[in-house]
């Protein structure tokens, strides 16, 4: 599922790229048979390149699956199961293999859900970043609710509120931090694509880490000076600390790449960067939902479950990558192996930190939902 984010922060919109089917002309996702040589997510990325002319970071952890009926060469109409892998688009090709056989178009998630005929696929689009959860994440207007209950009580509370330190905008800071982490993760993916612009993307990751530090300091400052906080103070500092750990490890990874002047990267490294990017996207979706944990508890739990699954898959990718690096370079080029092990270590820690974010969110759901 090729996708791109337009804008930044909680108001950013997500669009997905669909192509027309050669047989019927209906809108579909790029897809094909897996085959025996490549892992499923690699095959999916190849199909996206051939059918839609788009390149990017594909997460090895499927978003979900759907079924559709496919007519095969014999004429039989058989059910096919399709795993859907998120692919964060970084480049659109001007020419590609099937450009004269298909039309491609970017759709909003709502438009994509309406355009496809498979109900399960439509549900996957809706679940990717559902608009109803974004509207639920808006401020709840609790002061207005108090005013409707009793104007006398509200007047007294307003008088008392003016005597207290102002309530910090913790939710806005969480969302700003998550948006910064997402931007840094996109830059990490571009670093691991290699090429002459890699040093510019390394610089961006470092700058994003500095931005995240500023937001973290502001959160800690607000915790100290705010009388009434939406969550326990320890939970607030733990959540922003876990968020900050993700971007700290991103910076550590790209600094190691710059230090050792690594220019080419193993597929497992790119896979781990793609997992980190999708984890950052999921985290950015979760942050606005914290404005109303009671209402959004179910969706928050779904998102944290996905983060935990990603961390488990990243462990397997990490182990496989280290093993291949050891076999390829352990004896002949020990320095290369040590260098790659260092990069793998930081990439793994990025995803581990996202699992810590998931744990902190689950704690808030348990306490407040």
């Amino acid at each position: 599922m090729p996708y791109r984010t337009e804008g930044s922060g909680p108001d950013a919109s997500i669009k997905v790229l669909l192509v027309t089917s050669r047989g019927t002309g209906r809108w579909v996702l790029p897809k094909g048979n897996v085959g025996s040589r490549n892992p499923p997510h690699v095959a999916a990325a190849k199909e996206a390149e051939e059918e839609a002319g788009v390149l990017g970071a594909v997460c090895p952890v499927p978003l979900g699956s759907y079924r559709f009926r496919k007519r095969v060469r014999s004429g039989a109409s058989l059910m096919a199961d399709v795993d859907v892998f998120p692919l964060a688009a970084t480049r659109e090709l001007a020419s590609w293999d099937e450009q004269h056989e298909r039309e491609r178009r970017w759709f909003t998630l709502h438009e994509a859900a309406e355009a496809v005929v498979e109900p399960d696929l439509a549900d996957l689009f809706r679940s990717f970043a559902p608009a109803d959860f974004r509207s639920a994440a808006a401020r709840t207007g609790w002061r207005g609710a108090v005013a409707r209950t009793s104007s006398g009580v509200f007047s007294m509370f307003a008088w008392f509120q003016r005597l207290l330190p102002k309530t910090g905008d913790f939710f806005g800071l969480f969302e700003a931090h998550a948006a910064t982490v997402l931007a840094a993760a996109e830059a990490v993916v571009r670093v691991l694509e290699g090429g002459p612009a890699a040093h510019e993307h390394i610089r961006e990751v470092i700058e994003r880490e500095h931005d995240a530090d500023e937001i973290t300091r502001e959160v800690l400052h607000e915790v100290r000076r705010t009388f009434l906080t939406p969550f326990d103070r320890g939970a607030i500092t733990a959540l922003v600390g876990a968020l900050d750990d993700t971007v700290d490890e991103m910076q550590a990874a790209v600094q190691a790449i710059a230090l050792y002047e690594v220019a080419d990267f193993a597929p497992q490294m790119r896979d781990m960067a793609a997992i980190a990017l999708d984890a950052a996207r999921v985290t950015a979706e979760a942050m606005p939902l914290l404005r109303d944990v009671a209402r959004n508890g179910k969706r928050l739990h779904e998102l944290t479950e996905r983060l935990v699954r990603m961390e488990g898959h990243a462990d397997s990718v990490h182990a496989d990558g280290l093993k291949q690096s050891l076999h390829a370079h352990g004896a002949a080029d020990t320095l290369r192996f040590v260098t790659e092990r260092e990069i793998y270590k930081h990439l793994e820690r990025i995803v581990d930190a996202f699992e810590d974010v998931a744990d902190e969110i689950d704690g808030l759901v348990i306490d407040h939902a």
Side-chain angles (χ1 to χ4, degrees):
M1 184 179 74
Y3 74 92
R4 69 185 184 194
T5 304
E6 298 183 350
S8 60
D11 296 326
S13 62
I14 291 180
K15 289 190 175 180
V16 295
L17 186 65
L18 301 182
V19 297
T20 52
S21 168
R22 285 182 294 190
T24 63
R26 61 185 178 87
W27 291 106
V28 297
L29 281 178
K31 61 183 180 296
N33 295 321
V34 175
S36 58
R37 298 182 60 183
N38 293 320
H41 69 287
V42 175
K46 186 64 176 176
E47 293 294 336
E49 179 182 354
E50 293 176 354
E51 296 185 6
V54 64
L55 304 176
V58 58
C59 180
V61 185
L63 177 67
S65 62
Y66 70 96
R67 307 191 80 187
F68 78 105
R69 191 166 291 281
K70 179 179 181 180
R71 187 169 297 280
V72 295
R73 291 181 180 178
S74 67
S77 182
L78 305 177
M79 293 300 297
D81 292 304
V82 181
D83 285 333
V84 178
F85 297 90
L87 184 147
T90 58
R91 181 182 170 198
E92 287 184 60
L93 302 177
S95 60
W96 63 100
D97 289 356
E98 300 184 14
Q99 67 179 105
H100 301 299
E101 304 175 52
R102 303 177 187 270
E103 180 185 352
R104 69 178 179 183
R105 185 187 303 173
W106 289 98
F107 291 80
T108 66
L109 292 170
H110 174 74
E111 292 168 346
E114 295 295 319
V116 299
V117 300
E118 300 87 356
D120 292 343
L121 179 57
D123 288 342
L124 281 179
F125 289 144
R126 296 187 183 99
S127 73
F128 198 60
D132 54 329
F133 282 103
R134 294 191 176 214
S135 62
R139 298 183 185 278
T140 56
W142 55 272
R143 290 189 179 185
V146 174
R148 288 191 294 272
T149 303
S150 172
S151 59
V153 171
F154 180 74
S155 299
M156 182 173 290
F157 184 82
W159 170 81
F160 179 61
Q161 187 73 9
R162 285 194 292 270
L163 301 180
L164 300 175
K166 74 179 185 71
T167 301
D169 183 18
F170 293 104
F171 297 118
L173 291 170
F174 288 152
E175 291 160 17
H177 201 301
T180 304
V181 168
L182 178 56
E186 291 172 345
V188 170
V189 164
R190 293 183 184 274
V191 170
L192 269 70
E193 288 177 347
H199 69 282
E200 295 177 352
H201 299 306
I202 290 174
R203 177 180 172 183
E204 181 182 357
V205 173
I206 295 171
E207 290 175 353
R208 298 290 188 181
E209 192 277 336
H210 294 335
D211 292 342
D213 281 346
E214 289 294 327
I215 298 170
T216 300
R217 280 192 285 271
E218 182 63 21
V219 171
L220 299 179
H221 182 63
E222 291 293 331
V223 166
R224 289 194 297 271
R225 72 176 182 175
T226 302
F227 184 79
L228 298 173
T229 57
F231 308 125
D232 179 80
R233 295 171 193 273
I236 291 173
T237 57
L239 176 57
V240 77
L243 280 169
D244 207 48
D245 286 345
T246 64
V247 72
D248 286 345
E249 290 298 337
M250 291 180 198
Q251 176 180 261
V254 299
Q255 285 178 331
I257 290 169
L259 174 63
Y260 298 115
E261 299 180 340
V262 180
D264 60 303
F265 305 92
Q268 292 87 347
M269 292 182 183
R270 297 194 194 97
D271 285 350
M272 294 184 74
I275 292 173
L277 176 56
D278 203 42
R281 178 195 62 79
V282 170
T283 299
E285 181 186 345
M287 289 302 109
L289 306 186
L290 295 178
R291 293 181 183 270
D292 190 349
V293 177
R295 178 178 177 182
N296 300 326
K298 183 174 183 285
R299 177 59 177 171
L300 284 166
H301 185 62
E302 292 172 353
L303 295 175
T304 57
E305 278 191 333
R306 178 160 176 81
L307 288 173
V308 172
R309 289 201 309 272
M310 289 182 196
E311 193 279 334
H313 194 99
D315 283 346
S316 299
V317 175
H318 172 248
D320 182 54
L322 267 184
K323 185 176 181 179
Q324 288 196 21
S325 180
L326 178 62
H327 288 167
H329 311 297
D333 191 350
T334 305
L335 179 59
R336 175 68 179 267
F337 169 70
V338 171
T339 298
E340 293 194 351
R341 184 177 62 181
E342 178 78 4
I343 297 171
Y344 274 120
K345 177 185 71 176
H346 293 299
L347 291 172
E348 182 189 30
R349 287 179 177 176
I350 294 170
V351 187
D352 287 346
F354 278 113
E355 185 183 31
D356 293 340
V357 172
D359 291 341
E360 296 301 333
I361 293 173
D362 276 338
L364 293 175
V365 172
I366 291 170
D367 288 342
H368 297 276

